Amino acid sequence: MAIQSLRQFCGNLFEGFVYSQELTLNEIKDFSDKSGYIFAEGEICIMTFAHCPVQVNYKCNCDTCKYKGDIFYTDKTNRKFALKRKKVYNCYWEMYNCLPLSGGKKLFKGGRYLIKPNDNDLQQVYTHYAAINASKTSDYQPKEYTTGHLSKKTN
Ligand SMILES: [Zn+2]
Protein backbone atom coordinates (compact mmCIF):
# COMPACT_ATOMS: atom_id res chain seq x y z
CA MET A 1 0.00 0.00 0.00
CA ALA A 2 2.79 2.45 0.83
CA ILE A 3 4.47 1.81 -2.53
CA GLN A 4 1.19 2.44 -4.35
CA SER A 5 0.77 5.73 -2.47
CA LEU A 6 4.32 6.71 -3.38
CA ARG A 7 3.66 5.94 -7.04
CA GLN A 8 0.52 8.13 -7.00
CA PHE A 9 2.25 10.94 -5.14
CA CYS A 10 5.28 10.98 -7.47
CA GLY A 11 3.35 10.40 -10.71
CA ASN A 12 5.67 10.30 -13.70
CA LEU A 13 8.67 11.04 -11.49
CA PHE A 14 8.44 7.61 -9.84
CA GLU A 15 11.20 5.43 -11.25
CA GLY A 16 11.36 2.58 -8.76
CA PHE A 17 12.22 1.63 -5.24
CA VAL A 18 14.77 -0.41 -3.32
CA TYR A 19 13.68 -2.84 -0.62
CA SER A 20 15.05 -2.02 2.83
CA GLN A 21 18.49 -3.45 3.58
CA GLU A 22 16.99 -4.80 6.80
CA LEU A 23 14.75 -7.29 5.00
CA THR A 24 15.65 -10.93 4.43
CA LEU A 25 15.24 -12.50 0.99
CA ASN A 26 12.19 -14.39 2.29
CA GLU A 27 10.60 -11.15 3.49
CA ILE A 28 11.30 -9.55 0.11
CA LYS A 29 9.68 -12.52 -1.66
CA ASP A 30 6.54 -11.92 0.44
CA PHE A 31 6.10 -8.41 -0.99
CA SER A 32 3.08 -8.18 -3.30
CA ASP A 33 4.92 -5.59 -5.41
CA LYS A 34 7.81 -7.45 -7.07
CA SER A 35 9.16 -4.45 -8.99
CA GLY A 36 11.62 -3.26 -6.33
CA TYR A 37 15.37 -3.60 -6.46
CA ILE A 38 17.24 -5.79 -3.97
CA PHE A 39 20.46 -4.19 -2.79
CA ALA A 40 22.75 -7.18 -3.26
CA GLU A 41 26.32 -6.04 -3.85
CA GLY A 42 28.49 -3.21 -2.60
CA GLU A 43 29.38 -1.08 0.38
CA ILE A 44 26.73 -0.94 3.09
CA CYS A 45 26.04 2.50 4.56
CA ILE A 46 25.25 1.82 8.21
CA MET A 47 25.03 5.36 9.57
CA THR A 48 24.68 8.95 8.44
CA PHE A 49 26.08 11.55 10.81
CA ALA A 50 24.00 14.63 11.54
CA HIS A 51 27.21 16.36 12.64
CA CYS A 52 30.77 16.50 11.38
CA PRO A 53 33.03 14.32 13.59
CA VAL A 54 36.12 16.26 12.48
CA GLN A 55 34.55 19.57 13.49
CA VAL A 56 33.39 18.14 16.83
CA ASN A 57 36.72 16.49 17.74
CA TYR A 58 39.18 19.06 16.37
CA LYS A 59 37.04 22.19 16.80
CA CYS A 60 37.79 23.18 13.22
CA ASN A 61 35.73 24.91 10.59
CA CYS A 62 34.37 22.55 7.91
CA ASP A 63 35.02 25.15 5.22
CA THR A 64 38.77 25.23 5.92
CA CYS A 65 39.16 21.69 7.29
CA LYS A 66 42.51 20.06 6.46
CA TYR A 67 41.05 16.52 6.64
CA LYS A 68 39.89 15.96 3.07
CA GLY A 69 40.02 12.15 2.77
CA ASP A 70 38.14 9.34 4.43
CA ILE A 71 38.68 8.57 8.11
CA PHE A 72 38.22 5.25 9.89
CA TYR A 73 36.55 4.16 13.07
CA THR A 74 38.14 1.07 14.61
CA ASP A 75 36.00 -0.91 17.05
CA LYS A 76 37.22 -2.94 20.02
CA THR A 77 37.56 -6.08 17.85
CA ASN A 78 39.84 -4.13 15.48
CA ARG A 79 37.35 -3.95 12.60
CA LYS A 80 37.68 -0.79 10.52
CA PHE A 81 34.64 1.17 9.40
CA ALA A 82 35.23 3.86 6.77
CA LEU A 83 33.70 7.29 7.32
CA LYS A 84 33.27 9.10 4.03
CA ARG A 85 32.68 12.81 3.73
CA LYS A 86 29.74 13.49 1.43
CA LYS A 87 29.92 17.26 1.36
CA VAL A 88 32.83 19.46 2.28
CA TYR A 89 31.23 22.76 3.33
CA ASN A 90 29.11 22.11 6.45
CA CYS A 91 29.89 18.52 5.73
CA TYR A 92 28.07 15.38 6.67
CA TRP A 93 29.51 11.91 6.76
CA GLU A 94 28.42 8.36 6.18
CA MET A 95 29.84 5.30 7.92
CA TYR A 96 30.21 2.07 5.96
CA ASN A 97 30.23 -1.49 7.25
CA CYS A 98 33.66 -3.09 7.65
CA LEU A 99 32.71 -5.73 5.05
CA PRO A 100 30.95 -5.20 1.71
CA LEU A 101 27.63 -6.87 0.96
CA SER A 102 27.56 -9.76 -1.48
CA GLY A 103 24.30 -11.58 -2.01
CA GLY A 104 25.99 -14.92 -2.29
CA LYS A 105 24.39 -18.01 -3.72
CA LYS A 106 20.88 -17.43 -2.38
CA LEU A 107 19.94 -14.85 -5.02
CA PHE A 108 17.37 -15.99 -7.53
CA LYS A 109 16.68 -15.66 -11.24
CA GLY A 110 14.34 -12.81 -12.06
CA GLY A 111 15.32 -10.69 -9.08
CA ARG A 112 16.06 -7.04 -9.77
CA TYR A 113 19.38 -6.30 -8.14
CA LEU A 114 21.01 -3.04 -7.18
CA ILE A 115 24.75 -3.63 -7.38
CA LYS A 116 27.47 -1.16 -6.56
CA PRO A 117 30.74 -3.05 -7.15
CA ASN A 118 34.06 -1.36 -6.65
CA ASP A 119 35.98 -0.57 -9.82
CA ASN A 120 38.33 -3.57 -9.50
CA ASP A 121 35.46 -6.10 -9.52
CA LEU A 122 33.13 -4.54 -12.12
CA GLN A 123 33.46 -7.19 -14.82
CA GLN A 124 33.36 -10.16 -12.45
CA VAL A 125 30.27 -8.80 -10.66
CA TYR A 126 28.36 -8.04 -13.86
CA THR A 127 29.21 -11.49 -15.21
CA HIS A 128 28.06 -13.06 -11.91
CA TYR A 129 24.67 -11.32 -11.99
CA ALA A 130 24.17 -12.14 -15.64
CA ALA A 131 24.79 -15.80 -14.74
CA ILE A 132 22.21 -15.63 -11.91
CA ASN A 133 19.57 -14.25 -14.26
CA ALA A 134 20.38 -16.95 -16.80
CA SER A 135 20.15 -19.67 -14.08
CA LYS A 136 23.80 -20.50 -14.64
CA THR A 137 26.36 -21.13 -11.96
CA SER A 138 29.05 -18.65 -11.09
CA ASP A 139 32.00 -19.05 -8.77
CA TYR A 140 32.40 -15.32 -8.10
CA GLN A 141 32.74 -14.46 -4.43
CA PRO A 142 34.62 -11.54 -2.91
CA LYS A 143 37.49 -12.44 -0.57
CA GLU A 144 35.73 -11.00 2.46
CA TYR A 145 32.07 -10.08 2.54
CA THR A 146 28.83 -10.28 4.47
CA THR A 147 25.44 -11.37 3.20
CA GLY A 148 23.86 -8.84 5.57
CA HIS A 149 20.19 -9.52 6.27
CA LEU A 150 19.67 -11.25 2.91
CA SER A 151 20.56 -14.71 4.16
CA LYS A 152 19.05 -14.41 7.64
CA LYS A 153 16.19 -16.69 8.49
CA THR A 154 12.80 -15.06 9.03
CA ASN A 155 11.06 -15.81 12.31
ZN1 LIG B 1 33.36 19.01 8.61
Side-chain angles (χ1 to χ4, degrees):
M1 188 61 185
I3 300 295
Q4 186 58 30
S5 299
L6 189 61
R7 281 183 206 277
Q8 289 173 353
F9 178 76
C10 295
N12 291 337
L13 298 176
F14 184 87
E15 292 188 16
F17 69 97
V18 179
Y19 299 106
S20 168
Q21 295 176 40
E22 296 180 8
L23 295 174
T24 67
L25 275 177
N26 284 335
E27 290 168 332
I28 290 170
K29 287 176 182 173
D30 284 344
F31 260 75
S32 58
D33 189 325
K34 307 291 185 201
S35 66
Y37 290 88
I38 300 167
F39 175 46
E41 196 82 27
E43 290 186 303
I44 307 168
C45 179
I46 56 175
M47 189 184 299
T48 300
F49 289 73
H51 66 279
C52 172
V54 175
Q55 184 184 53
V56 169
N57 288 304
Y58 297 100
K59 312 286 184 228
C60 63
N61 181 335
C62 287
D63 193 23
T64 58
C65 179
K66 64 182 179 181
Y67 297 94
K68 299 299 183 197
D70 298 342
I71 56 178
F72 292 89
Y73 166 75
T74 305
D75 75 3
K76 62 186 175 189
T77 62
N78 218 27
R79 296 180 304 173
K80 287 186 167 206
F81 299 78
L83 280 80
K84 298 185 178 198
R85 188 190 315 252
K86 293 300 175 178
K87 182 181 172 194
V88 174
Y89 184 77
N90 287 332
C91 50
Y92 78 92
W93 296 71
E94 290 178 343
M95 180 187 280
Y96 289 85
N97 195 29
C98 55
L99 294 173
L101 177 70
S102 185
K105 306 206 181 295
K106 301 208 177 229
L107 300 177
F108 51 91
K109 179 183 179 181
R112 302 176 75 188
Y113 299 109
L114 172 64
I115 55 177
K116 301 185 293 182
N118 68 43
D119 291 345
N120 297 333
D121 299 335
L122 279 176
Q123 191 59 50
Q124 282 180 297
V125 171
Y126 289 138
T127 302
H128 173 67
Y129 281 84
I132 289 170
N133 273 332
S135 295
K136 294 180 179 170
T137 57
S138 164
D139 58 1
Y140 168 76
Q141 206 62 258
K143 285 182 188 133
E144 292 186 296
Y145 66 99
T146 177
T147 55
H149 289 256
L150 291 175
S151 64
K152 286 187 177 168
K153 298 228 184 295
T154 308
N155 294 332

PDB file of all heavy atoms in Angstrom, residues 78-94:
ATOM      1  N   ASN A  78      38.888  -4.547  16.506  1.00  0.00           N
ATOM      2  CA  ASN A  78      39.839  -4.129  15.475  1.00  0.00           C
ATOM      3  C   ASN A  78      39.279  -4.131  14.055  1.00  0.00           C
ATOM      4  O   ASN A  78      40.023  -4.180  13.093  1.00  0.00           O
ATOM      5  CB  ASN A  78      41.119  -4.966  15.550  1.00  0.00           C
ATOM      6  CG  ASN A  78      42.339  -4.115  15.282  1.00  0.00           C
ATOM      7  OD1 ASN A  78      42.321  -2.900  15.524  1.00  0.00           O
ATOM      8  ND2 ASN A  78      43.389  -4.718  14.763  1.00  0.00           N
ATOM      9  N   ARG A  79      37.957  -4.083  13.935  1.00  0.00           N
ATOM     10  CA  ARG A  79      37.354  -3.950  12.602  1.00  0.00           C
ATOM     11  C   ARG A  79      37.337  -2.470  12.241  1.00  0.00           C
ATOM     12  O   ARG A  79      37.069  -1.620  13.095  1.00  0.00           O
ATOM     13  CB  ARG A  79      35.928  -4.512  12.594  1.00  0.00           C
ATOM     14  CG  ARG A  79      35.888  -6.000  12.871  1.00  0.00           C
ATOM     15  CD  ARG A  79      34.485  -6.537  12.852  1.00  0.00           C
ATOM     16  NE  ARG A  79      33.648  -5.795  13.800  1.00  0.00           N
ATOM     17  CZ  ARG A  79      32.335  -5.959  13.908  1.00  0.00           C
ATOM     18  NH1 ARG A  79      31.702  -6.817  13.145  1.00  0.00           N
ATOM     19  NH2 ARG A  79      31.641  -5.255  14.786  1.00  0.00           N
ATOM     20  N   LYS A  80      37.624  -2.187  10.970  1.00  0.00           N
ATOM     21  CA  LYS A  80      37.684  -0.791  10.524  1.00  0.00           C
ATOM     22  C   LYS A  80      36.447  -0.429   9.716  1.00  0.00           C
ATOM     23  O   LYS A  80      36.090  -1.135   8.766  1.00  0.00           O
ATOM     24  CB  LYS A  80      38.926  -0.556   9.672  1.00  0.00           C
ATOM     25  CG  LYS A  80      40.196  -0.531  10.464  1.00  0.00           C
ATOM     26  CD  LYS A  80      41.375  -0.149   9.593  1.00  0.00           C
ATOM     27  CE  LYS A  80      42.539   0.178  10.488  1.00  0.00           C
ATOM     28  NZ  LYS A  80      43.462   1.086   9.877  1.00  0.00           N
ATOM     29  N   PHE A  81      35.826   0.665  10.079  1.00  0.00           N
ATOM     30  CA  PHE A  81      34.644   1.175   9.400  1.00  0.00           C
ATOM     31  C   PHE A  81      35.009   2.518   8.774  1.00  0.00           C
ATOM     32  O   PHE A  81      35.424   3.442   9.476  1.00  0.00           O
ATOM     33  CB  PHE A  81      33.497   1.365  10.394  1.00  0.00           C
ATOM     34  CG  PHE A  81      33.064   0.086  11.062  1.00  0.00           C
ATOM     35  CD1 PHE A  81      33.800  -0.461  12.099  1.00  0.00           C
ATOM     36  CD2 PHE A  81      31.937  -0.566  10.632  1.00  0.00           C
ATOM     37  CE1 PHE A  81      33.419  -1.641  12.708  1.00  0.00           C
ATOM     38  CE2 PHE A  81      31.526  -1.745  11.233  1.00  0.00           C
ATOM     39  CZ  PHE A  81      32.276  -2.283  12.280  1.00  0.00           C
ATOM     40  N   ALA A  82      34.880   2.617   7.461  1.00  0.00           N
ATOM     41  CA  ALA A  82      35.231   3.857   6.771  1.00  0.00           C
ATOM     42  C   ALA A  82      34.152   4.915   6.974  1.00  0.00           C
ATOM     43  O   ALA A  82      32.961   4.631   6.878  1.00  0.00           O
ATOM     44  CB  ALA A  82      35.395   3.592   5.273  1.00  0.00           C
ATOM     45  N   LEU A  83      34.590   6.127   7.278  1.00  0.00           N
ATOM     46  CA  LEU A  83      33.705   7.286   7.317  1.00  0.00           C
ATOM     47  C   LEU A  83      34.044   8.120   6.093  1.00  0.00           C
ATOM     48  O   LEU A  83      35.202   8.503   5.907  1.00  0.00           O
ATOM     49  CB  LEU A  83      33.915   8.115   8.580  1.00  0.00           C
ATOM     50  CG  LEU A  83      33.236   7.608   9.846  1.00  0.00           C
ATOM     51  CD1 LEU A  83      34.037   6.498  10.467  1.00  0.00           C
ATOM     52  CD2 LEU A  83      33.042   8.743  10.805  1.00  0.00           C
ATOM     53  N   LYS A  84      33.045   8.360   5.269  1.00  0.00           N
ATOM     54  CA  LYS A  84      33.275   9.095   4.028  1.00  0.00           C
ATOM     55  C   LYS A  84      32.524  10.416   4.065  1.00  0.00           C
ATOM     56  O   LYS A  84      31.333  10.452   4.327  1.00  0.00           O
ATOM     57  CB  LYS A  84      32.824   8.253   2.833  1.00  0.00           C
ATOM     58  CG  LYS A  84      33.623   6.959   2.738  1.00  0.00           C
ATOM     59  CD  LYS A  84      33.277   6.169   1.515  1.00  0.00           C
ATOM     60  CE  LYS A  84      34.162   4.922   1.479  1.00  0.00           C
ATOM     61  NZ  LYS A  84      34.221   4.322   0.181  1.00  0.00           N
ATOM     62  N   ARG A  85      33.266  11.477   3.752  1.00  0.00           N
ATOM     63  CA  ARG A  85      32.676  12.812   3.727  1.00  0.00           C
ATOM     64  C   ARG A  85      31.867  12.948   2.443  1.00  0.00           C
ATOM     65  O   ARG A  85      32.346  12.670   1.355  1.00  0.00           O
ATOM     66  CB  ARG A  85      33.776  13.870   3.753  1.00  0.00           C
ATOM     67  CG  ARG A  85      33.276  15.280   3.912  1.00  0.00           C
ATOM     68  CD  ARG A  85      34.376  16.303   3.697  1.00  0.00           C
ATOM     69  NE  ARG A  85      35.618  15.994   4.360  1.00  0.00           N
ATOM     70  CZ  ARG A  85      36.068  16.638   5.429  1.00  0.00           C
ATOM     71  NH1 ARG A  85      35.400  17.615   5.950  1.00  0.00           N
ATOM     72  NH2 ARG A  85      37.226  16.289   5.954  1.00  0.00           N
ATOM     73  N   LYS A  86      30.629  13.376   2.581  1.00  0.00           N
ATOM     74  CA  LYS A  86      29.743  13.490   1.428  1.00  0.00           C
ATOM     75  C   LYS A  86      29.615  14.915   0.930  1.00  0.00           C
ATOM     76  O   LYS A  86      29.147  15.162  -0.163  1.00  0.00           O
ATOM     77  CB  LYS A  86      28.355  12.932   1.761  1.00  0.00           C
ATOM     78  CG  LYS A  86      28.368  11.434   1.990  1.00  0.00           C
ATOM     79  CD  LYS A  86      28.868  10.725   0.741  1.00  0.00           C
ATOM     80  CE  LYS A  86      29.032   9.246   0.932  1.00  0.00           C
ATOM     81  NZ  LYS A  86      29.470   8.581  -0.277  1.00  0.00           N
ATOM     82  N   LYS A  87      29.985  15.859   1.760  1.00  0.00           N
ATOM     83  CA  LYS A  87      29.918  17.257   1.359  1.00  0.00           C
ATOM     84  C   LYS A  87      30.969  17.979   2.172  1.00  0.00           C
ATOM     85  O   LYS A  87      31.098  17.731   3.370  1.00  0.00           O
ATOM     86  CB  LYS A  87      28.525  17.809   1.663  1.00  0.00           C
ATOM     87  CG  LYS A  87      28.312  19.214   1.256  1.00  0.00           C
ATOM     88  CD  LYS A  87      26.900  19.646   1.632  1.00  0.00           C
ATOM     89  CE  LYS A  87      26.720  21.122   1.413  1.00  0.00           C
ATOM     90  NZ  LYS A  87      25.512  21.607   2.066  1.00  0.00           N
ATOM     91  N   VAL A  88      31.726  18.844   1.563  1.00  0.00           N
ATOM     92  CA  VAL A  88      32.832  19.455   2.277  1.00  0.00           C
ATOM     93  C   VAL A  88      32.376  20.636   3.124  1.00  0.00           C
ATOM     94  O   VAL A  88      32.655  20.708   4.303  1.00  0.00           O
ATOM     95  CB  VAL A  88      33.953  19.873   1.304  1.00  0.00           C
ATOM     96  CG1 VAL A  88      35.041  20.652   2.026  1.00  0.00           C
ATOM     97  CG2 VAL A  88      34.545  18.631   0.654  1.00  0.00           C
ATOM     98  N   TYR A  89      31.649  21.590   2.562  1.00  0.00           N
ATOM     99  CA  TYR A  89      31.231  22.761   3.327  1.00  0.00           C
ATOM    100  C   TYR A  89      30.042  22.366   4.196  1.00  0.00           C
ATOM    101  O   TYR A  89      29.067  21.807   3.704  1.00  0.00           O
ATOM    102  CB  TYR A  89      30.868  23.911   2.384  1.00  0.00           C
ATOM    103  CG  TYR A  89      30.533  25.171   3.120  1.00  0.00           C
ATOM    104  CD1 TYR A  89      31.554  25.951   3.665  1.00  0.00           C
ATOM    105  CD2 TYR A  89      29.217  25.573   3.289  1.00  0.00           C
ATOM    106  CE1 TYR A  89      31.266  27.102   4.357  1.00  0.00           C
ATOM    107  CE2 TYR A  89      28.917  26.727   3.976  1.00  0.00           C
ATOM    108  CZ  TYR A  89      29.950  27.488   4.517  1.00  0.00           C
ATOM    109  OH  TYR A  89      29.661  28.633   5.208  1.00  0.00           O
ATOM    110  N   ASN A  90      30.109  22.607   5.495  1.00  0.00           N
ATOM    111  CA  ASN A  90      29.110  22.114   6.450  1.00  0.00           C
ATOM    112  C   ASN A  90      28.846  20.638   6.182  1.00  0.00           C
ATOM    113  O   ASN A  90      27.737  20.204   5.935  1.00  0.00           O
ATOM    114  CB  ASN A  90      27.809  22.904   6.370  1.00  0.00           C
ATOM    115  CG  ASN A  90      27.952  24.275   6.958  1.00  0.00           C
ATOM    116  OD1 ASN A  90      28.770  24.494   7.851  1.00  0.00           O
ATOM    117  ND2 ASN A  90      27.166  25.212   6.449  1.00  0.00           N
ATOM    118  N   CYS A  91      29.924  19.889   6.208  1.00  0.00           N
ATOM    119  CA  CYS A  91      29.893  18.518   5.727  1.00  0.00           C
ATOM    120  C   CYS A  91      29.028  17.589   6.567  1.00  0.00           C
ATOM    121  O   CYS A  91      28.720  17.863   7.711  1.00  0.00           O
ATOM    122  CB  CYS A  91      31.307  17.962   5.640  1.00  0.00           C
ATOM    123  SG  CYS A  91      32.308  18.176   7.105  1.00  0.00           S
ATOM    124  N   TYR A  92      28.636  16.511   5.957  1.00  0.00           N
ATOM    125  CA  TYR A  92      28.070  15.385   6.674  1.00  0.00           C
ATOM    126  C   TYR A  92      28.792  14.140   6.202  1.00  0.00           C
ATOM    127  O   TYR A  92      29.431  14.148   5.156  1.00  0.00           O
ATOM    128  CB  TYR A  92      26.548  15.297   6.492  1.00  0.00           C
ATOM    129  CG  TYR A  92      26.074  14.715   5.186  1.00  0.00           C
ATOM    130  CD1 TYR A  92      25.811  13.353   5.076  1.00  0.00           C
ATOM    131  CD2 TYR A  92      25.875  15.517   4.075  1.00  0.00           C
ATOM    132  CE1 TYR A  92      25.368  12.816   3.884  1.00  0.00           C
ATOM    133  CE2 TYR A  92      25.435  14.987   2.880  1.00  0.00           C
ATOM    134  CZ  TYR A  92      25.184  13.640   2.795  1.00  0.00           C
ATOM    135  OH  TYR A  92      24.751  13.095   1.618  1.00  0.00           O
ATOM    136  N   TRP A  93      28.721  13.114   6.998  1.00  0.00           N
ATOM    137  CA  TRP A  93      29.508  11.912   6.762  1.00  0.00           C
ATOM    138  C   TRP A  93      28.616  10.688   6.771  1.00  0.00           C
ATOM    139  O   TRP A  93      27.559  10.676   7.401  1.00  0.00           O
ATOM    140  CB  TRP A  93      30.555  11.746   7.862  1.00  0.00           C
ATOM    141  CG  TRP A  93      31.581  12.823   7.908  1.00  0.00           C
ATOM    142  CD1 TRP A  93      31.413  14.110   8.299  1.00  0.00           C
ATOM    143  CD2 TRP A  93      32.952  12.708   7.555  1.00  0.00           C
ATOM    144  NE1 TRP A  93      32.579  14.802   8.212  1.00  0.00           N
ATOM    145  CE2 TRP A  93      33.553  13.957   7.763  1.00  0.00           C
ATOM    146  CE3 TRP A  93      33.736  11.663   7.083  1.00  0.00           C
ATOM    147  CZ2 TRP A  93      34.897  14.192   7.515  1.00  0.00           C
ATOM    148  CZ3 TRP A  93      35.085  11.903   6.845  1.00  0.00           C
ATOM    149  CH2 TRP A  93      35.652  13.156   7.059  1.00  0.00           C
ATOM    150  N   GLU A  94      29.085   9.655   6.112  1.00  0.00           N
ATOM    151  CA  GLU A  94      28.418   8.364   6.177  1.00  0.00           C
ATOM    152  C   GLU A  94      29.441   7.328   6.634  1.00  0.00           C
ATOM    153  O   GLU A  94      30.599   7.382   6.227  1.00  0.00           O
ATOM    154  CB  GLU A  94      27.849   7.961   4.815  1.00  0.00           C
ATOM    155  CG  GLU A  94      26.664   8.811   4.405  1.00  0.00           C
ATOM    156  CD  GLU A  94      26.112   8.457   3.037  1.00  0.00           C
ATOM    157  OE1 GLU A  94      26.809   7.783   2.243  1.00  0.00           O
ATOM    158  OE2 GLU A  94      24.989   8.877   2.762  1.00  0.00           O
TER     159      GLU A  94
END
